[in-house]
Structures are given as structure tokens and as C-alpha cells.
């Protein structure tokens, strides 16, 4: 099928994902990454436990009040659920979609070292066979996709020109390919928070990266109205002495987006990138409190910042406690996406979520 034949559907999916007061739950941790999460709560990384945990997410009451879409790992997209008694249930993807939560799929296949780049730079793999994988995800009920490219800021001069170009081009090739299969691409050029650089440095790098990404998307003929951007919130490096105020973060984040992101993109859904649950909500709310309204829906597509408390409260057995914790952070971020979050008004796990050189 051509992109042309999918345009209306792509635009309407992107619009549904950008619903007011809602955002995305990024539950697409690879098997290795969910293993790290489980290890922290003493749960074995078995298929049965992954199924049980993702069933908890899919059956959380009222989740769709605050969550418009969920990003799944391939295993979950093709997995059936279990109910509270451990009995097999409906496919997980149907549980989400029947409750009005649009299912999506992570289609990148991870990062590899970038030959010719600076130490630690990467490129994102997954273009080979993507057309076929996108078509089978669509047939199974997925309506959007995600591809995470990663850039870093370092004293050695990263990101290099090569890394910016390569990651932008990969995002554009992916976006065009999945649109041809009817999936809305989430374009995710993450700038890692590792380092001690200031917020101005991050903003300058992010402007360069986003400008390069949208030039590449244009080269590949990506239909912007049927695409979404998932950037990092513009933050100084994690090793900077004092955390910035929400006002400063809002100012730099909005300035960066206004200078680079076309208004035809319906929504900008931030990643949490190692911010704590509470910080991710407070900064998002600050961004939405700006006096001049932004031309895009400014929402969230959080992984760690939506699931940390949930995992701890679940701890492998307490489904209701896990669901309550998930709902609290979903509510907080729903409020934040309208600029209405009152700091501390929802419970959260205060633990720092930052991990150096994070891989998803
Ligand atoms: P975090 O919110 O944990 O950064 O994850 C979002 C995501 O999907 C990363 O690709």
C-alpha cells in the first residue's frame, strides 16, 4: 500500500494519540531491560511474569482516562493476557484497544556502535525487514510505531556531525517505511542527560539535531500530520550541581521546539529520560503553563516515570496496589499535560531513575 492511501488514517490516529489531558505509556522495554526492572523488585524475568505484569497494565481501571496509547514490545503485541487467578485471557493488544487505548509497537532493534563516530556514539538498527514487521504489527492491531535514536553530549565533541546525520536519516527512513504500512511513526531522537553541560549547551545541540531530523523527514517524504515527535525535555546534564527551575526548563524546551518543529506535527510527547516520577510531571506541567500557547499538544510518552512506583507496589503479586500506583502517575501526567499538576498532589516513588548510558 502507498503512503497516499493511508494519509487520512494516519492523521486520525495521530490526533487520537494527541487527545487533550492524555499521553502515552511506554511499556516497550526489551526483554533485557524489563529483566533489570524485575531484578530490582526480586521478580524473575520469565515469560509468565512479563505476561502477568503487562496484564496488570492492560487491566488497570480508568487508565484510558489519562492514557491515549501504549507502546508495546513485540513479545507483548503477540501475547495473551492472564486474569487475576492466572487463567488465560484475551490477547493483550485487544485488552488495550477495547478500552480505547491505541496500541503501538517498538520497531527499532537497538543501538550499535557508530563506525567513524566518536567514542560511545551509536546508530539505531532495524530497517532490514521493517516493511514486513510493520505490516504484521498492523495486522495484529498496532496503529503506531516507535524508533529510538540516541545522541550524547560529551567533552570529546559529541555529537559528531556523522552521528547527527546518521541518526536523523535512520529516523526518516523508518518513519517513511512504517507510514506506508499505516502506522504513525513516533520520531524519537533522545539526547542523553549524561554529563555536566549546561542547559544552553543542550538546547544548542537539540536545535541542531531536530533541524537535521526534520530536513531528513522532508527528504524522505514523511507525512508530518501523521507523525509525532518524542524528544527529551531540554535539561542540563545530570551532573550539573543544581536542578534547574521548571520555568527555565520550560523556556529552553519551548524555544528549542519553536525554532525547529513544523506546526503540521500534531503533538510533541516527551520521554522522561531518567527524571524521577515527580520531576517528569512538574517539568511537563511547567512547559504547559507558558503564556503563549504552543502550536502542538505537549504531552508525555513516559516509560520509567510512569512505571517505577507501579513495579514496586506490584512486586510480583499485588496487582491492585500496582494498578493504583500506575493510575496515580497517569493522573499526574494527564494534569501536567494541561499545565495543571500541583506538585506532590499524587503519590510517587522519589527514587532517582537516572542511569548512565541508558538503553531501552
Ligand atoms: P523513559 O520515559 O523511561 O525515558 O522511556 C521512554 C521511552 O520510550 C524511551 O524510548
Amino acid at each position: 500500500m502507498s503512503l497516499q492511501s493511508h494519509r487520512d488514517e494516519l492523521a486520525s490516529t495521530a490526533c487520537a494519540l494527541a487527545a487533550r489531558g492524555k499521553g502515552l505509556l511506554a511499556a516497550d522495554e526489551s526483554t533485557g531491560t524489563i529483566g533489570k526492572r524485575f531484578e530490582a523488585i526480586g521478580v524473575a524475568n520469565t515469560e509468565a511474569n512479563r505476561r502477568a505484569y503487562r496484564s496488570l497494565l492492560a487491566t488497570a481501571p480508568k487508565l484510558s482516562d489519562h492514557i491515549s496509547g501504549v507502546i508495546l514490545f513485540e513479545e507483548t503485541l503477540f501475547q495473551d493476557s492472564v486474569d487475576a487467578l492466572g487463567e488465560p485471557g484475551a490477547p493483550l493488544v485487544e485488552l488495550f484497544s477495547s478500552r480505547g487505548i491505541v496500541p503501538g509497537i517498538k520497531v527499532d532493534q537497538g543501538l550499535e556502535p557508530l563506525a567513524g563516530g566518536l567514542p560511545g556514539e551509536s546508530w539505531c538498527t532495524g530497517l532490514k525487514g521493517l516493511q514486513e514487521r510493520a505490516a504484521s504489527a498492523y495486522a495484529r492491531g498496532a496503529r503506531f510505531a516507535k524508533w529510538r535514536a540516541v545522541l550524547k553530549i560529551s567533552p570529546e565533541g559529541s555529537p559528531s556531525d556523522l552521528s547527527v546525520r546518521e541518526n536523523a536519516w535512520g529516523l526518516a527512513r523508518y518513519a517513511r517505511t512504517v507510514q506506508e504500512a499505516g502506522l504513525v511513526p513516533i520520531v524519537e531522537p533522545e539526547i542523553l542527560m549524561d554529563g555536566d553541560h549546561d542547559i544552553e549547551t543542550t538546547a544548542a545541540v537539540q536545535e541542531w539535531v531536530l533541524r537535521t531530523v526534520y530536513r531528513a523527514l522532508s527528504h524522505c517524504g514523511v507525512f508530518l500530520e501523521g507523525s509525532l515527535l518524542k524528544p527529551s525535555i531540554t535539561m542540563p546534564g545530570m551532573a550539573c550541581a543544581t536542578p534547574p527551575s521548571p520555568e527555565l526548563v520550560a523556556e529552553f524546551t519551548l524555544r528549542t521546539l519553536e525554532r525547529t518543529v513544523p506546526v503540521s506535527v500534531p503533538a510533541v510527547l516527551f520521554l522522561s529520560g531518567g527524571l524521577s516520577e515527580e520531576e517528569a510531571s512538574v517539568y511537563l506541567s511547567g512547559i504547559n503553563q507558558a503564556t503563549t500557547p504552543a502550536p502542538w499538544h505537549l504531552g508525555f510518552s513516559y516509560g520509567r516515570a510512569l512505571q517505577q512506583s507501579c513495579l514496586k507496589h506490584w512486586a510480583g503479586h499485588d496487582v491492585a496496589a500496582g494498578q493504583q500506583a500506575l493510575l496515580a502517575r497517569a493522573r499526574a501526567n494527564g494534569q501536567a499535560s494541561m499545565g495543571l499538576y500541583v506538585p506532590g498532589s499524587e503519590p510517587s516513588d522519589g527514587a532517582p531513575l537516572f542511569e548512565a548510558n541508558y538503553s531501552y
Side-chain angles (χ1 to χ4, degrees):
M1 285 266 237
S2 69
L3 197 167
Q4 197 61 28
S5 63
H6 285 299
R7 282 168 75 103
D8 291 350
E9 185 189 6
L10 290 167
S12 91
T13 303
C15 231
L17 291 169
R20 182 173 157 75
K22 298 190 188 186
L24 307 190
L25 166 62
D28 58 324
E29 299 85 359
S30 63
T31 304
T33 303
I34 197 71
K36 287 195 236 156
R37 303 277 176 278
F38 282 3
E39 198 183 335
I41 54 166
V43 171
N45 187 13
T46 60
E47 206 227 318
N49 286 338
R50 294 193 295 274
R51 177 198 305 272
Y53 176 62
R54 268 96 186 222
S55 298
L56 172 163
L57 301 177
T59 55
K62 295 187 182 294
L63 192 62
S64 60
D65 289 357
H66 317 286
I67 298 293
S68 54
V70 61
I71 317 176
L72 304 173
F73 188 58
E74 198 167 5
E75 176 185 80
T76 318
L77 183 67
F78 293 94
Q79 203 169 36
D80 291 342
S81 60
V82 280
D83 67 17
L85 301 170
E87 295 297 324
L92 280 158
V93 64
E94 281 176 22
L95 286 185
F96 283 111
S97 52
S98 64
R99 302 163 74 214
I101 298 177
V102 182
I105 172 85
K106 168 191 171 78
V107 293
D108 72 69
Q109 296 184 316
L111 307 177
E112 286 194 1
L114 179 63
L118 291 166
E121 290 191 326
S122 60
W123 67 291
C124 184
T125 67
L127 286 175
K128 190 163 187 313
L130 180 57
Q131 231 169 341
E132 294 73 22
R133 285 188 290 121
S136 96
Y138 185 96
R140 179 73 179 175
R143 290 295 175 268
F144 70 100
K146 163 188 143 172
W147 177 284
R148 173 178 178 259
V150 175
L151 295 117
K152 61 185 284 188
I153 298 176
S154 78
E156 291 75 41
S158 288
S160 62
D161 187 52
L162 174 66
S163 125
V164 173
R165 282 182 198 227
E166 168 57 30
N167 282 293
W169 191 245
L171 282 163
R173 296 266 286 113
Y174 135 79
R176 173 73 200 220
T177 306
V178 301
Q179 281 193 331
E180 292 189 5
L183 302 177
V184 167
I186 293 193
V187 173
E188 181 177 358
E190 174 166 4
I191 315 249
L192 294 177
M193 287 198 287
D194 303 52
D196 62 1
H197 49 275
D198 58 20
I199 194 166
E200 275 145 49
T201 304
T202 310
V205 168
Q206 200 173 18
E207 262 189 59
W208 172 29
V209 168
L210 290 175
R211 203 169 284 129
T212 312
V213 165
Y214 280 101
R215 203 174 299 133
L217 260 60
S218 161
H219 264 114
C220 289
V222 172
F223 173 53
L224 294 182
E225 290 80 352
S227 74
L228 299 166
L229 176 67
K230 176 164 171 166
S232 330
I233 292 176
T234 309
M235 295 283 300
M238 261 311 187
C240 257
T242 39
S245 69
E247 292 76 22
L248 188 75
V249 169
E251 182 189 328
F252 276 95
T253 303
L254 289 166
R255 191 190 77 178
T256 305
L257 297 174
E258 281 162 4
R259 288 180 175 178
T260 55
V261 183
V263 293
S264 41
V265 174
V268 174
L269 305 173
F270 297 99
L271 57 94
S272 63
L275 295 171
S276 72
E277 290 182 327
E278 180 68 5
E279 284 170 333
S281 304
V282 168
Y283 286 132
L284 177 61
S285 205
I287 291 168
N288 277 290
Q289 281 162 15
T291 40
T292 320
W296 327 268
H297 168 78
L298 295 169
F300 58 95
S301 174
Y302 291 164
R304 284 164 283 177
L306 269 172
Q307 294 183 72
Q308 175 78 358
S309 301
C310 170
L311 278 159
K312 281 201 177 158
H313 282 82
W314 170 59
H317 55 87
D318 196 338
V319 171
Q323 290 180 330
Q324 255 182 33
L326 172 68
L327 210 61
R329 291 329 297 175
R331 237 182 350 248
N333 291 311
Q335 290 288 302
S337 70
M338 298 183 288
L340 299 175
Y341 180 60
V342 178
S345 59
E346 294 287 354
S348 78
D349 182 87
L353 295 173
F354 178 73
E355 252 177 69
N357 261 320
Y358 182 71
S359 73
Y360 213 72

